[in-house]
């Protein structure tokens, strides 16, 4: 597939700092507002944002299949409802306008001033109206580690795990954007298995290092999306920290799975990096043995290499990276997840969000949760300020970052940072 905007030789007349997450080859979409202005669609480049509402009003998007209301919007959904070909055309057009060899906007500084704004002045919003949120459980190392911690190493993976991309329906209304703090959750837990349960604040608050993808409008109820079609239904990806209260989770999860241990918050990064921009970073997935059922078979490289890290920043101190993992460690890819999700006729809608599940690599420093890093609280991690962590403490800020990189371009996701305030 030849996507014009991905050309690694492109250069922009908008200055892009070295090692920026947002070179001209990225052009992720988000929702931003400036002081006193309404939220609208923007595209990140370097340390700037392209205001698509103003870009449209000034006539630069005339040959694209969009209307003003698609960009004068507080979420990306109206724009995404136009579909994959439309958003690809749009990204190509923005790339063209920002290209150093194109003079249309570059030579019109009066209009450029209304269109290109400083990221530092902007407030970022939750980019998508998320109708439904699904969380998968697709990293083998994570599933194995959790199986070892809660059952035994010989039977760490459940019998279904290599046959089904296991998932559950989560709560979309508590998905929040980077920068919004959370309060430590309270709930019922049973710290001593010999004693009755107790109520109190969660002492085992944890992050989960995940990626999420956002869908275009799917098919009607009863239809399904094949692994071969799945790419056409995926708009893009963001970083995803799926907050988890391990003590609440441990007591409540049998038999129906996660509930109050998970639904109090999940945090996402504000920029949606398009699947198109990630195409150069496709890698082969792991050999799937036993062989999967035909509806889960796929062709080509459908995994993606994305470097991911999670850091903990104690209050008034610097951050310590506690995990560096990679999206390539997924056993099940997005195409298989989407095919599985819809194979029973379940519909998906524009703006649905599907998270990967915690992504752990084979090495200990690649584990994607404190549950695994502290091995269920049996060991602690030292912060740069000398303090110790087994789980997340009050007033810690948890910061996730991610980027894909080859020898020509670096496509970043920005970050998701969330401060944990004491329980209300
Ligand atoms: Ca999760």
């Amino acid at each position: 597939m030849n996507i014009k905007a991905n050309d690694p030789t492109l250069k922009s007349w908008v200055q892009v700092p070295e090692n920026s997450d947002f070179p001209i080859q990225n052009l992720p979409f988000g929702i931003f507002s400036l002081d006193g202005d309404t939220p609208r669609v923007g595209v990140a480049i370097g340390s700037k944002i392209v205001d698509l509402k103003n870009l449209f009003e000034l006539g630069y998007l005339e040959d694209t299949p969009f209307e003003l209301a698609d960009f004068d919007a507080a979420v990306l959904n109206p724009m995404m409802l136009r579909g994959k070909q439309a958003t690809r055309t749009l990204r190509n057009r923005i790339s063209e306008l920002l290209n150093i060899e194109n003079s249309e906007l570059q030579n019109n500084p009066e209009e450029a001033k209304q269109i290109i704004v400083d990221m530092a002045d902007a407030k970022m919003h939750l980019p998508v109206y998320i109708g439904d949120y699904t969380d998968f459980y697709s990293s083998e190392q994570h599933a194995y580690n959790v199986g070892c911690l809660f059952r035994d190493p010989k039977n760490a993976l459940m019998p279904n795990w290599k046959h089904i991309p296991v998932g559950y329906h989560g709560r979309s209304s508590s998905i929040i954007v980077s920068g919004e703090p959370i309060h430590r959750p309270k709930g019922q837990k049973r710290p001593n298995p010999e004693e009755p349960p107790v109520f109190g604040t969660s002492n085992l608050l944890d992050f989960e290092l995940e990626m999420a993808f956002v869908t275009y409008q799917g098919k009607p109820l009863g239809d399904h999306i094949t692994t071969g079609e799945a790419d056409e239904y995926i708009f893009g990806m963001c970083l995803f920290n799926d907050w988890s209260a391990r003590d609440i989770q441990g007591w409540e999860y049998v038999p129906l799975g996660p509930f109050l241990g998970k639904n109090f918050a999940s945090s996402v990064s504000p920029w949606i990096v398009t699947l198109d921009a990630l195409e150069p970073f496709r890698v082969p997935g792991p050999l799937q043995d036993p062989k999967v059922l035909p509806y889960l078979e796929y062709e080509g490289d459908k995994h993606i290499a994305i470097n991911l890290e999670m850091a903990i920043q104690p209050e008034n101190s610097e951050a310590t990276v506690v995990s560096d993992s990679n999206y390539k460690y997924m056993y099940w890819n997005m195409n298989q997840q989407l095919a599985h999700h819809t194979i029973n006729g379940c519909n998906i809608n524009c703006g649905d969000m599907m998270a990967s599940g915690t992504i752990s690599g084979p090495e200990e420093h690649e584990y994607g949760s404190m549950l695994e890093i502290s091995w269920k609280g049996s060991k602690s991690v030292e912060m740069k300020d000398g303090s110790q962590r087994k789980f997340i403490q009050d007033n810690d800020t948890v910061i996730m970052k991610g980027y894909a990189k080859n020898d020509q371009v670096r496509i970043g996701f920005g970050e998701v940072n969330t401060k944990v305030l004491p329980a209300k």
Side-chain angles (χ1 to χ4, degrees):
M1 192 188 337
N2 182 24
I3 300 164
K4 263 179 17 189
N6 287 358
D7 181 350
T9 66
L10 295 178
K11 283 205 165 35
S12 179
W13 51 272
V14 176
Q15 203 202 346
V16 176
E18 204 175 338
N19 274 326
S20 167
D21 278 344
F22 309 121
I24 190 171
Q25 289 83 4
N26 191 345
L27 304 180
F29 292 85
I31 298 290
F32 77 99
S33 62
L34 295 174
D35 233 2
D37 252 342
T38 51
R40 61 199 55 194
V41 177
V43 162
I45 178 155
S47 53
K48 307 283 184 184
I49 299 174
V50 182
D51 181 330
L52 294 203
K53 173 177 180 272
N54 288 354
L55 193 69
F56 186 92
E57 281 188 318
L58 291 166
Y60 288 96
L61 299 176
E62 263 170 7
D63 295 330
T64 65
F66 292 91
E67 292 173 7
L68 179 61
D70 298 332
F71 306 122
D72 188 8
V75 285
L76 297 174
N77 302 56
M79 185 194 90
M80 289 161 57
L81 271 170
R82 306 275 174 189
K84 182 131 189 169
Q85 286 312 318
T87 53
R88 181 175 289 161
T89 301
L90 176 64
R91 183 167 162 269
N92 282 338
R93 173 60 178 153
I94 295 165
S95 167
E96 187 176 76
L97 286 167
L98 296 173
N99 190 331
I100 199 162
E101 287 168 16
N102 183 295
S103 60
E104 290 172 76
L105 183 56
Q106 187 178 188
N107 289 359
N108 197 337
E110 273 310 304
E111 292 190 349
K113 214 161 57 181
Q114 299 172 55
I115 289 165
I116 315 271
V117 303
D118 280 329
M119 208 176 264
D121 297 336
K123 174 179 161 58
M124 298 305 298
H125 301 261
L126 187 68
V128 179
Y129 173 75
I130 304 161
D132 276 304
Y133 154 52
T134 300
D135 193 18
F136 286 94
Y137 190 59
S138 290
S139 149
E140 182 176 1
Q141 187 69 52
H142 173 70
Y144 174 80
N145 288 347
V146 172
C148 289
L149 285 167
F150 290 98
R151 289 183 299 276
D152 85 278
K154 285 196 201 77
N155 301 297
L157 292 184
M158 296 300 272
N160 61 5
W161 199 87
K162 291 204 164 181
H163 298 276
I164 291 175
V166 172
Y168 75 98
H169 285 294
R171 185 161 188 87
S172 49
S173 64
S174 57
I175 297 178
I176 54 175
V177 74
S178 176
E180 274 190 51
I182 64 165
H183 286 271
R184 178 175 298 275
K186 296 177 292 230
Q188 191 178 136
K189 53 200 181 165
R190 190 178 64 167
N192 183 345
E194 312 300 320
E195 302 275 333
V198 297
F199 176 83
T201 54
S202 169
N203 294 323
L204 308 181
L205 181 62
D206 200 356
F207 59 76
E208 289 190 332
L209 175 153
E210 306 193 21
M211 294 296 294
F213 67 90
V214 177
T215 60
Y216 290 106
Q217 188 61 33
K219 296 180 180 179
L221 274 174
D223 287 344
H224 70 275
I225 294 168
T226 66
T227 58
E229 294 169 327
D231 289 346
E232 296 307 306
Y233 290 90
I234 298 171
F235 171 58
M237 302 186 75
C238 62
L239 307 173
F240 194 93
N241 176 1
D242 191 21
W243 292 100
S244 301
R246 300 301 181 193
D247 35 9
I248 298 171
Q249 183 186 3
W251 170 231
E252 74 175 359
Y253 84 104
V254 177
L256 286 186
F259 189 31
L260 305 189
K262 297 279 192 176
N263 68 2
F264 58 95
S266 303
S267 304
V268 297
S269 52
W271 294 106
I272 308 292
V273 174
T274 61
L275 191 61
D276 277 359
L278 294 167
E279 286 299 335
F281 308 96
R282 294 282 192 185
V283 290
L287 175 72
Q288 294 186 321
D289 181 23
K291 198 164 144 45
V292 298
L293 287 170
Y295 81 94
L296 290 169
E297 289 175 356
Y298 66 96
E299 284 177 12
D301 292 344
K302 291 300 171 195
H303 288 64
I304 306 176
I306 303 170
N307 301 286
L308 301 169
E309 68 165 49
M310 197 68 96
I312 299 173
Q313 183 176 18
E315 196 165 38
N316 303 318
S317 177
E318 56 180 323
T320 303
V321 174
V322 294
S323 170
D324 53 289
S325 186
N326 198 303
Y327 187 58
K328 71 182 177 188
Y329 292 134
M330 298 282 284
Y331 187 83
W332 300 101
N333 58 51
M334 291 182 277
N335 301 59
Q336 294 179 305
Q337 290 171 336
L338 206 46
H340 182 66
H341 202 307
T342 59
I343 193 62
N344 64 344
C346 172
N347 55 349
I348 60 154
N349 287 307
C350 179
D352 284 358
M353 186 168 275
M354 311 221 175
S356 57
T358 309
I359 307 160
S360 294
E363 306 289 335
E364 278 186 37
H365 67 89
E366 297 174 307
Y367 291 176
S369 65
M370 290 305 286
L371 175 71
E372 296 159 271
I373 294 165
S374 75
W375 208 250
K376 216 177 172 181
S378 64
K379 53 187 174 183
S380 55
V381 185
E382 182 162 312
M383 301 287 101
K384 284 181 181 164
D385 68 2
S387 62
Q388 306 286 320
R389 291 292 180 282
K390 289 176 175 173
F391 290 92
I392 307 303
Q393 297 186 358
D394 285 350
N395 300 309
D396 282 352
T397 300
V398 174
I399 305 162
M400 182 178 174
K401 295 180 183 175
Y403 64 90
K405 191 173 192 285
N406 58 26
D407 52 11
Q408 292 178 297
V409 283
R410 179 186 189 281
I411 300 293
F413 286 80
E415 66 173 41
V416 47
N417 75 72
T418 314
K419 186 171 182 176
V420 175
L421 300 175
K424 275 194 183 177

